[in-house]
């Protein structure tokens, strides 16, 4: 993990953890790994080329790389583009959720396939997954650190929260 506090916490609980970012020189080298999972990680990686090289070097021949990442063709992304359009590019609240200081990349299904194949991986399955992990009340105060509620009106925020969750 790239967060020192998280790594210290994991280590203090007896877990094996390393400080670094995927593909950086800080990452320990592994060889012959059967499966690597990237759950909501690839969109945070600055240097994709080094990360993909590290992943390829770490997996054994015939190993599996499982990637879960937000879909740049999702309903939220489409709503973000609509928001920018109808506000004449003045409002970007939804876009900041999709692409922000935490998410430095957004991938379409075709884009992630191209990245993986360009890096030497054989893509055997590309499957969209719907995740509904946020409760309606989570939408009221904003989605991510530093991103506030949708509007300055809590009644409107509540209505939009229930609407978004229902959708």
């Amino acid at each position: 993990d790239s967060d020192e506090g998280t790594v210290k916490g994991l280590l203090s609980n007896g877990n094996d953890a390393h400080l670094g970012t995927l593909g950086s020189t800080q990452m320990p080298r592994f060889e012959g790994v059967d499966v690597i999972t990237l759950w909501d990680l690839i969109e945070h990686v600055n240097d994709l080329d080094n990360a993909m090289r590290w992943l390829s070097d770490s997996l054994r021949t015939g190993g599996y790389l499982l990637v879960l990442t937000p879909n740049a063709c999702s309903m939220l992304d489409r709503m973000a583009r609509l928001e920018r359009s109808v506000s004449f590019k003045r409002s970007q609240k939804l876009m900041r959720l999709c692409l922000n200081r935490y998410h430095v990349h957004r991938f379409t299904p075709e884009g992630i396939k191209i990245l993986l194949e360009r890096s030497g991986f054989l893509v055997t399955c590309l499957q969209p997954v719907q995740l509904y992990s946020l409760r309606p009340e989570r939408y009221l105060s904003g989605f991510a650190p530093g991103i506030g509620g949708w509007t300055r009106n809590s009644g409107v925020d509540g209505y939009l929260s229930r609407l978004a969750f229902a959708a």
Side-chain angles (χ1 to χ4, degrees):
D1 198 285
S2 61
D3 181 73
E4 190 173 344
T6 299
V7 172
K8 284 181 181 178
L10 287 166
L11 291 171
S12 71
N13 287 322
N15 296 294
D16 186 20
H18 302 275
L19 182 64
T21 56
L22 184 62
S24 73
T25 56
Q26 300 165 309
M27 284 292 290
R29 289 286 173 193
F30 300 104
E31 291 182 13
V33 175
D34 292 320
V35 178
I36 295 176
T37 59
L38 303 179
W39 279 186
D40 288 315
L41 178 81
I42 195 93
E43 67 272 14
H44 300 272
V45 175
N46 284 315
D47 190 341
L48 287 172
D49 290 332
N50 277 338
M52 299 311 289
R53 203 169 9 266
W54 184 91
L55 291 164
S56 180
D57 290 347
S58 297
L59 275 175
R60 71 166 173 79
T61 302
Y64 291 94
L65 174 64
L66 307 172
V67 179
L68 178 71
T69 187
N71 182 354
C73 295
S74 71
M75 180 174 35
L76 181 63
D77 286 79
R78 290 191 309 262
M79 290 172 58
R81 288 188 292 275
L82 177 64
E83 173 195 34
R84 281 188 45 83
S85 176
V86 299
S87 71
F88 301 103
K89 299 184 180 181
R90 289 188 303 241
S91 179
Q92 297 187 73
K93 285 187 177 230
L94 291 176
M95 188 57 71
R96 284 189 299 239
L97 297 175
C98 300
L99 192 60
N100 56 53
R101 66 182 182 174
Y102 303 108
H103 290 174
V104 294
H105 301 285
R106 292 296 277 185
F107 297 99
T108 63
E110 185 61 26
I112 195 73
K113 184 177 184 210
I114 289 169
L115 172 68
L116 292 168
E117 288 177 344
R118 184 185 78 201
S119 302
F121 293 96
L122 172 65
V123 177
T124 59
C125 180
L126 191 62
Q127 180 67 44
V129 177
Q130 291 294 328
L131 301 175
Y132 297 107
S133 60
L134 297 178
R135 295 186 184 103
E137 59 272 12
R138 179 66 177 108
Y139 290 84
L140 290 170
S141 60
F143 293 90
I147 300 173
W150 295 43
T151 72
R152 293 174 193 214
N153 182 308
S154 61
V156 172
D157 283 348
Y159 174 75
L160 291 172
S161 296
R162 289 186 295 282
L163 184 67
F165 190 76

